[in-house]
Amino acid sequence: MSSRGVRHDSMRARNLAVVLATIHRSGPHTRAALAERTGLTKTTVSSLVADLIEAGVVTESGAVRGGERGRPGVAVSLSGHRVAALGLEINIDYLAACVVDLTREVRLRRVRPADNRNSDPARILEGLRDLVKEVTAEAEADGLRLAGAALAVPGTVEGGVLRSAPHLGWRDVRVADLVDPPFAIDNEANLAALGELWFGSRQPDFLYVSGEIGIGAGLVVEGTVFRGTFGLAGELGHVVVVPDGPVCRCGGRGCLEVYAGQDALLGELASVGELVARLESGDGRAVRACERAGHALGVALTSAVHLLDPGEIVLGGIFAPLFRWLEGPVSEGLRARLGQMRGAPPALAVSGTGGDAAVLGAAGLIIQQILAEPARLLDL
Amino acid sequence: MSSRGVRHDSMRARNLAVVLATIHRSGPHTRAALAERTGLTKTTVSSLVADLIEAGVVTESGAVRGGERGRPGVAVSLSGHRVAALGLEINIDYLAACVVDLTREVRLRRVRPADNRNSDPARILEGLRDLVKEVTAEAEADGLRLAGAALAVPGTVEGGVLRSAPHLGWRDVRVADLVDPPFAIDNEANLAALGELWFGSRQPDFLYVSGEIGIGAGLVVEGTVFRGTFGLAGELGHVVVVPDGPVCRCGGRGCLEVYAGQDALLGELASVGELVARLESGDGRAVRACERAGHALGVALTSAVHLLDPGEIVLGGIFAPLFRWLEGPVSEGLRARLGQMRGAPPALAVSGTGGDAAVLGAAGLIIQQILAEPARLLDL
DNA sequence: GGATTATGTACAGATTATGGACTAAAGCGA
DNA sequence: TCGCTTTAGTCCATAATCTGTACATAATCC
């Protein structure tokens, strides 16, 4: 609980957010419908909507007839023409950026291939800065105002500081400070979960499992990402599957990653595409690797379901193209192990976003912030 | 996000809560100090404090000199004399109740031994109703007004309905409806975690591990219990320790409970006291059982730390008296398995509450509600 | 075209916080 | 002891915001 008292302007800020959230959640509304939904009076809603229009987050979008009789209302809907969010991602082999407007339309996408393994943070951040400049200029030329930016990184983040990104070879990098204006940073898996929420037409409760070189997970409960105490929650890749199994790069033993990480799945194959090809041709070794991974995932997800209680489980990253082969072993494992503890195990689904859930989710985080505090756009 | 607009009275309700929370968190304050802390004006604070005094949640408690000079202020502190909360618990072999006032003073405790295994819900609830009547009468004779009640049950709770309590033999019991006024219900482990927060002088971030016949856990993040999507989070007892281990009563295999549940620990011994005695005398079998349990706990907690990211781990219930013998294996397991993933594993601590963390936590839940919405006390 | 119905705005009134003036109560210094 | 300074708490006029009623507007129904 914030310990600051609230004043008149906080009340208005809150009401602006309530009206905007209603439009966002349930589509265009007339002012009258908004008044009914929010419990505010028509007068107040009119005044709030006027402010939201001025802030550029909503527009009037034509007449609607409510019942059969009476004066038709004017629909107020989210506006995609003024305000947008910038999503960024640093990953092992690329930098990516995207611009998403308030209607969730992806307005711009940029991917720059790069080899960032064991790289120098300063050099990569220089490249990121360039990318930001380029994309910002293009967005502004499009008439968009970028209300904020967020960055996805393949590592653990604590209070805006990148603590450890083993594959990049980075430790304790204060990424946010190096770019102006400073932006939000979060773990790839957390943001991919948000990406799934915003762009994969998901229900607001699920566990997104991100298969990359490592395996991460982001839990979304009631539309927000659960981060734990230090922001380190969701490290599904190191859940114990076999207590005295092979040593993992984390120092533990028998972690999920050992059985279902990219390296374990691909073996000597060069890419996921190749693995899929082998699977389709019924190659025994590939099928066995996939079954082993599915089995391990079933075990780890059983623990995860007991501890996190997700509404649904979504497989993303490299698990998405492999879903056909993973689904069976994973869901059987869950069903058998969860037993009578719950009615039925959470449903298993494929990720609805393409490979770029994380960048999109980064933009989604900013959109979430805008929707939560539209008043900030008015102060500037 | 609630979708209801806020009005003047919500603003005031919020400010009442802010002032009260400040006093609760940081002890007695003068009105001037409250004004500074909350950012409200002295005028507003005076008016809010007047309401809080009327509601009976705070009192003036003597003069305090702030600096060296100037008129001394009047300290405003929590009042334990009017408002209190009722905590209740149904467990395998007893019914319990307690009354706790706003200063966290336990004003009343009642435990009624009973054999509730495989019992008839209606009969037990009858007994609970009697207990409530008795305790309510005593509290009222003491001048206390019970602002609400909450009930801890050894089972899973979903939206006020007790879904499944295997040891009681209950399924789908609508407990809340059967008592008037209806009260909040939650899982024993979740409420024990709150009990630990309120009465064990804990930091606001920890995972409370409740060793009873089953093993549960309640995660507290920033002072609130994490419940997951359906309120089923924290089922530590069924986290997988050995994927093809012995069958557990839940239907799974190799669950933590199989290795560290009460039955596994006690073997043929009749009570935890007896086990402690054996351990103290160095009985080999007892020591080995304890080591095995500690090892299994280390494995399950490793998964829990990766997924939940708790600030600290608190062992309660039957694990509390066994802490001396469990601490070593558990913390070694955590240290070895967590490896380089985090700076250091979360600290391991014993529960600070006695055996009745759950009842106390039930009362704590209500106190939390009062502190969050003091305005409700004024409306009546 | 007039009655009916629903939308959206205008204006007075209510609620609550603010800010400066004022009163109260203590110590300090002469 | 008296006045000065300092801090606490209250009073009152003002400002921000929401409410509620009245009203103008725009559609359908007959």
Side-chain angles (χ1 to χ4, degrees):
Chain A
M1 145 119 49
S2 131
S3 70
R4 304 298 293 180
V6 303
R7 318 155 61 137
H8 290 109
D9 49 334
S10 330
M11 175 164 63
R12 188 157 185 90
R14 185 72 214 288
N15 282 337
L16 285 167
V18 166
V19 168
L20 187 56
T22 305
I23 296 172
H24 168 248
R25 270 210 308 271
S26 322
H29 281 69
T30 64
R31 291 171 174 80
L34 285 169
E36 191 163 1
R37 288 282 278 250
T38 59
L40 296 165
T41 58
K42 289 186 292 174
T43 312
T44 305
V45 168
S46 279
S47 147
L48 292 166
V49 166
D51 274 10
L52 290 174
I53 287 174
E54 198 196 315
V57 291
V58 303
T59 9
E60 301 196 328
S61 56
V64 270
R65 262 211 301 292
E68 279 310 295
R69 287 212 249 291
R71 170 178 170 180
V74 180
V76 177
S77 49
L78 287 183
S79 161
H81 297 300
R82 290 261 308 269
V83 179
L86 176 58
L88 299 166
E89 181 180 1
I90 298 179
N91 215 317
I92 319 294
D93 41 15
Y94 61 87
L95 295 181
C98 69
V99 173
V100 176
D101 70 29
L102 275 194
T103 64
R104 307 191 196 193
E105 196 93 359
V106 180
R107 302 292 289 265
L108 210 62
R109 252 181 236 253
R110 286 280 175 286
V111 180
R112 275 199 195 158
D115 182 8
N116 299 334
R117 278 171 201 266
N118 301 314
S119 53
D120 171 29
R123 197 175 55 77
I124 308 301
L125 288 171
E126 192 55 49
L128 187 68
R129 215 158 3 207
D130 286 352
L131 185 58
V132 170
K133 251 183 227 150
E134 181 188 319
V135 169
T136 306
E138 257 185 273
E140 276 169 3
D142 234 8
L144 293 172
R145 171 175 160 201
L146 296 182
L151 171 66
V153 289
T156 52
V157 174
E158 229 181 298
V161 179
L162 173 54
R163 279 282 169 243
S164 152
H167 299 297
L168 296 175
W170 296 11
R171 282 196 86 81
D172 296 315
V173 181
R174 309 189 59 83
V175 181
D177 299 352
L178 299 178
V179 189
D180 179 70
F183 40 62
I185 314 175
D186 204 346
N187 180 278
E188 186 185 36
N190 284 346
L191 290 179
L194 266 187
E196 192 64 28
L197 174 68
W198 282 82
F199 303 98
S201 63
R202 263 313 129 209
Q203 295 297 94
D205 296 280
F206 60 90
L207 180 71
Y208 178 87
V209 178
S210 148
E212 304 289 336
I213 299 202
I215 300 174
L219 178 71
V220 176
V221 181
E222 288 175 22
T224 55
V225 174
F226 170 75
R227 289 190 164 76
T229 305
F230 307 110
L232 304 177
E235 279 292 343
L236 186 69
H238 301 283
V239 163
V240 183
V241 171
V242 178
D244 44 8
V247 171
C248 171
R249 66 178 169 82
C250 77
R253 283 171 157 278
C255 300
L256 173 62
E257 217 163 284
V258 171
Y259 304 96
Q262 201 176 85
D263 296 347
L265 270 164
L266 294 189
E268 291 117 45
L269 303 180
S271 73
V272 183
E274 207 171 318
L275 176 59
V276 170
R278 297 272 176 121
L279 286 166
E280 274 171 344
S281 70
D283 178 293
R285 234 166 99 194
V287 170
R288 275 193 302 279
C290 226
E291 270 171 5
R292 206 178 49 222
H295 176 79
L297 263 170
V299 173
L301 284 173
T302 299
S303 295
V305 168
H306 280 310
L307 291 172
L308 300 173
D309 183 28
E312 195 183 5
I313 296 172
V314 180
L315 298 186
I318 65 167
F319 294 144
L322 302 175
F323 189 76
R324 260 174 64 194
W325 295 276
L326 290 171
E327 186 184 9
V330 173
S331 67
E332 260 166 54
L334 281 173
R335 192 158 353 111
R337 288 174 186 284
L338 287 172
Q340 316 108 305
M341 288 297 291
R342 21 183 83 219
L348 209 61
V350 211
S351 164
T353 56
D356 35 32
V359 224
L360 292 177
L365 180 67
I366 299 301
I367 296 184
Q368 232 173 23
Q369 288 176 6
I370 297 171
L371 291 175
E373 281 187 281
R376 289 213 309 210
L377 294 174
L378 280 164
D379 298 339
L380 313 176
Chain B
M1 143 119 51
S2 131
S3 71
R4 304 298 293 179
V6 302
R7 318 155 60 140
H8 289 108
D9 50 334
S10 329
M11 175 164 65
R12 189 158 185 90
R14 182 75 214 285
N15 281 338
L16 285 167
V18 166
V19 168
L20 187 56
T22 305
I23 296 172
H24 168 247
R25 269 211 308 272
S26 322
H29 281 69
T30 63
R31 291 172 175 78
L34 285 169
E36 191 163 1
R37 287 281 278 249
T38 59
L40 297 164
T41 59
K42 288 186 294 175
T43 312
T44 306
V45 168
S46 279
S47 148
L48 292 166
V49 166
D51 274 9
L52 290 173
I53 288 174
E54 199 197 313
V57 291
V58 303
T59 8
E60 301 196 329
S61 56
V64 269
R65 260 212 301 291
E68 281 309 296
R69 287 215 250 289
R71 169 178 168 181
V74 179
V76 177
S77 48
L78 287 183
S79 161
H81 297 301
R82 288 262 308 272
V83 178
L86 175 57
L88 299 166
E89 181 180 1
I90 297 179
N91 215 318
I92 319 293
D93 41 13
Y94 61 87
L95 296 181
C98 69
V99 172
V100 177
D101 70 28
L102 276 193
T103 63
R104 304 190 198 196
E105 197 94 359
V106 179
R107 303 291 288 265
L108 209 60
R109 251 181 237 251
R110 286 281 176 286
V111 180
R112 274 199 197 159
D115 182 7
N116 298 334
R117 278 172 203 263
N118 302 315
S119 54
D120 171 29
R123 197 175 55 77
I124 309 301
L125 289 171
E126 193 55 50
L128 186 67
R129 214 158 3 207
D130 286 352
L131 185 59
V132 169
K133 252 184 226 150
E134 180 188 319
V135 170
T136 306
E138 257 186 272
E140 276 168 4
D142 234 7
L144 292 172
R145 170 177 160 199
L146 296 181
L151 171 66
V153 288
T156 51
V157 175
E158 228 182 299
V161 179
L162 173 53
R163 279 280 170 243
S164 152
H167 300 296
L168 296 176
W170 297 10
R171 284 196 85 81
D172 296 317
V173 181
R174 308 191 60 83
V175 182
D177 298 352
L178 299 178
V179 190
D180 180 70
F183 40 62
I185 314 174
D186 204 347
N187 181 277
E188 185 185 39
N190 284 346
L191 289 179
L194 266 187
E196 192 64 30
L197 173 69
W198 281 82
F199 304 98
S201 64
R202 263 312 129 209
Q203 295 296 95
D205 296 278
F206 60 90
L207 179 70
Y208 178 87
V209 178
S210 149
E212 304 290 336
I213 299 201
I215 299 173
L219 178 71
V220 176
V221 181
E222 288 174 25
T224 55
V225 174
F226 170 75
R227 288 189 164 77
T229 305
F230 307 109
L232 305 176
E235 279 293 343
L236 186 69
H238 302 284
V239 163
V240 183
V241 171
V242 178
D244 43 10
V247 171
C248 171
R249 66 179 169 82
C250 78
R253 283 172 157 278
C255 300
L256 172 62
E257 216 162 286
V258 172
Y259 304 96
Q262 201 177 84
D263 296 346
L265 270 164
L266 294 189
E268 290 116 48
L269 303 180
S271 73
V272 183
E274 207 171 317
L275 176 59
V276 170
R278 297 272 174 118
L279 286 167
E280 273 170 346
S281 71
D283 178 293
R285 234 166 97 193
V287 169
R288 275 193 303 279
C290 227
E291 270 170 7
R292 206 177 50 223
H295 175 79
L297 263 171
V299 173
L301 284 173
T302 299
S303 294
V305 168
H306 281 309
L307 290 172
L308 300 173
D309 183 30
E312 195 182 6
I313 296 172
V314 181
L315 298 186
I318 65 168
F319 295 144
L322 302 174
F323 189 77
R324 261 174 62 194
W325 295 276
L326 290 171
E327 185 183 9
V330 173
S331 68
E332 260 166 53
L334 280 174
R335 192 158 351 110
R337 289 175 185 284
L338 286 172
Q340 317 107 306
M341 287 296 292
R342 20 183 84 219
L348 210 60
V350 213
S351 164
T353 55
D356 36 30
V359 225
L360 293 177
L365 181 68
I366 299 301
I367 296 184
Q368 231 173 25
Q369 287 175 7
I370 297 171
L371 291 175
E373 282 186 281
R376 289 213 309 210
L377 294 175
L378 280 164
D379 298 339
L380 312 174

